[in-house]
Amino acid sequence: MLRAIWLLILLVLGVWAALFLRQMGGNVEISVGNTFIGVPVWLGLLVLVVGFVVLHGLLSAWKSLRGWPARLRARRAARHRRDGDAAVTRALVALAAGTPDQARLEIRRARGLLGDTPHTLLLTAEAERMAGRNDAANEAFRLLSQREDGKFLGLRGLLRDAMQREDWPAAQRLAREAEAAQPGAAWVREERAALAFRTRDWKEALALSPPGQLTGHRRAALALAAAMQDPDTASSLEKQALSAEPGFAPAALAVARRLAGEGSPRRAKAALQAAWAASPHPDIAEAFLADEPDALARVKAAETLTHENRTHPESRLVLGRTALAAGLTGRARAELEALVSSGQADRRAYLAMVDMDAVELGDSAAGRMAEAKWLRAAASAPPEPRWQCLNCGTVHRKWEPICEECSTPGRIEWTGGGAAKGGAVATT
Ligand SMILES: [Zn+2]
């Protein structure tokens, strides 16, 4: 509207100027050699204006003609982009609906329209993987990993595949590359930790497991497992294991063995005593009494070991057994009877009672009666505690970092009483 008003004003001004000039009269004269042209001023101006308009029109038409192929290309690119985006959306819907063949079709169309972009390559890989064509999926991931903008995504896909194929060396290499491409990515850290567990690289698994996530027995088990793999840092790893679970007998034994080896037998014994106070275990008692050759000295040593938790069933059992071995039957009977009447006795207590009555009563009618009584009690008593995988129930003869039956790391624990879940006894 405003433009129309301006045009009208301009037109009125032009007509007025032309009329004015005509009224004024006057000529424009051009002489070239002998030729002489003379026109009125208004006609001269009119020719000039018309000439300018025609020239401008011609130039504009030429420019528009020259830009035509580029405009055509841009229009085609925009159409491709629109169609490609629509195909990507349809592929995503097909993937979400679990129809990989449809997804592959749409993604092929999208790739034809948009070319190899991180989106189309990633979707290709996912669709191929869903269709069970792992080679084609890996090819797309490989292409993606060669691009600067899609490197991490490509490596992530390849790593996932390598872990599925259980190709551990390739998985470790890819995990390192992914870590370099995206330092500190939580996902890479988790995958590397999982990888370390799968390859039984306990030290790496320990280093990659966040302290908050891995506590208590699992941390202790992992630290001790790492110590068993790496002699260079074993000493500090063993201490780490013991501080994560102060009553963890295998860690206490390892620490004590190391201290004794370093010429500190008193500190070794103190470590065993501390572990016993936290959680009594027969292996600790065995190690504590190992270098006491005299039976009476063993009784004294057992008293020293157990003085923090005198009434614990394991304490009573070790006190009763050492007293019996030293011929202190009165003392042994007091401990073992207290244990039996506490209701916490397992099979070992009743078998110790059999031994004691054999010493006290000998091969007499009373002795045989007592033996039969204790054996019956032993048969129905809970079994002694043992190393058992809490995942599959397998009983192990000694502590191991990983249960070979179910390949679960850090779940073999010292369990008392109740029957094994699986009932299987491994020969490990
Ligand atoms: Zn198991």
Side-chain angles (χ1 to χ4, degrees):
M1 185 66 187
L2 208 64
R3 267 178 85 170
I5 291 168
W6 276 115
L7 210 64
L8 204 65
I9 292 169
L10 218 63
L11 218 63
V12 168
L13 280 174
V15 169
W16 177 78
L19 285 174
F20 176 75
L21 284 172
R22 194 173 173 184
Q23 219 167 27
M24 288 274 286
N27 285 316
V28 175
E29 292 170 1
I30 301 167
S31 70
V32 180
N34 292 332
T35 317
F36 172 84
I37 301 166
V39 289
V41 170
W42 66 270
L43 191 62
L45 278 174
L46 196 67
V47 167
L48 260 176
V49 166
V50 168
F52 172 77
V53 166
V54 167
L55 201 66
H56 184 262
L58 278 175
L59 279 173
S60 296
W62 171 240
K63 203 172 136 196
S64 155
L65 206 66
R66 261 194 356 166
W68 187 58
R71 274 206 307 285
L72 212 64
R73 273 202 302 277
R75 250 208 309 276
R76 199 170 51 219
R79 200 179 56 238
H80 279 184
R81 166 125 228 117
R82 204 173 49 240
D83 292 353
D85 284 347
V88 163
T89 306
R90 284 196 300 273
L92 280 169
V93 171
L95 276 177
T99 48
D101 291 332
Q102 179 66 22
R104 285 177 60 221
L105 202 76
E106 294 295 351
I107 261 307
R108 245 204 317 272
R109 196 169 297 156
R111 254 176 110 177
L113 291 166
L114 302 173
D116 283 355
T117 66
H119 302 99
T120 57
L121 284 172
L122 185 64
L123 281 176
T124 302
E126 291 300 341
E128 297 287 8
R129 222 165 61 90
M130 196 184 256
R133 295 157 51 94
N134 278 348
D135 287 347
N138 282 349
E139 179 56 24
F141 280 133
R142 208 178 49 72
L143 285 174
L144 200 53
S145 73
Q146 284 165 355
R147 297 171 61 105
E148 209 42 56
D149 54 357
K151 198 179 179 82
F152 181 72
L153 288 171
L155 289 170
R156 185 179 192 271
L158 291 172
L159 172 59
R160 203 166 45 176
D161 178 69
M163 286 186 76
Q164 242 165 27
R165 281 186 291 114
E166 306 201 344
D167 181 353
W168 307 125
Q172 272 166 329
R173 179 178 53 76
L174 288 163
R176 275 196 297 274
E177 281 184 44
E179 175 90 80
Q182 195 87 13
W187 177 83
V188 180
R189 200 184 161 88
E190 277 168 29
E191 290 301 291
R192 282 184 63 204
L195 203 56
F197 274 111
R198 295 300 298 268
T199 53
R200 303 190 178 185
D201 184 345
W202 307 129
K203 200 174 171 188
E204 170 107 336
L206 183 69
L208 289 169
S209 301
Q213 212 176 59
L214 197 69
T215 50
H217 178 74
R218 299 206 68 188
R219 176 158 284 274
L222 200 54
L224 188 61
M228 287 159 77
Q229 274 181 344
D230 182 18
D232 292 342
T233 51
S235 170
S236 89
L237 286 168
E238 284 160 359
K239 282 182 203 143
Q240 236 185 78
L242 196 56
S243 73
E245 193 189 7
F248 185 36
L253 291 173
V255 168
R257 243 191 327 266
R258 193 169 294 281
L259 286 169
E262 287 166 359
S264 314
R266 288 168 76 93
R267 287 176 64 206
K269 293 230 158 167
L272 291 172
Q273 228 174 314
W276 186 276
S279 172
H281 188 288
D283 290 353
I284 296 177
E286 198 187 314
F288 196 82
L289 303 177
D291 55 354
E292 302 286 356
D294 176 53
L296 276 173
R298 285 168 72 86
V299 176
K300 277 211 76 75
E303 280 170 356
T304 312
L305 176 68
T306 59
H307 91 274
E308 292 245 2
N309 43 11
R310 282 278 294 101
T311 54
H312 190 281
E314 284 299 333
S315 295
R316 284 199 192 280
L317 191 63
V318 72
L319 286 167
R321 276 170 163 179
T322 48
L324 186 63
L328 306 174
T329 44
R331 178 79 194 281
R333 181 173 292 281
E335 293 295 347
L336 293 175
E337 278 181 353
L339 175 53
V340 167
S341 61
S342 73
Q344 293 176 297
D346 60 44
R347 197 176 294 147
R348 294 169 300 167
Y350 295 101
L351 293 177
M353 290 299 272
V354 171
D355 289 346
M356 195 179 63
D357 282 344
V359 170
E360 272 200 328
L361 304 173
D363 189 17
S364 62
R368 280 192 293 278
M369 260 177 67
E371 185 183 358
K373 176 184 142 195
W374 293 128
L375 283 176
R376 267 200 310 279
S380 58
E384 60 256 52
R386 54 264 169 104
W387 293 111
Q388 187 177 18
C389 171
L390 297 190
N391 189 50
C392 69
T394 302
V395 174
H396 296 260
R397 218 175 276 163
K398 59 184 176 58
W399 180 82
E400 300 279 357
I402 187 165
C403 170
E404 294 296 347
E405 288 296 311
C406 66
S407 300
T408 310
R411 292 310 305 276
I412 298 179
E413 292 190 32
W414 185 244
T415 55
K421 267 182 279 169
V425 178
T427 51
T428 51

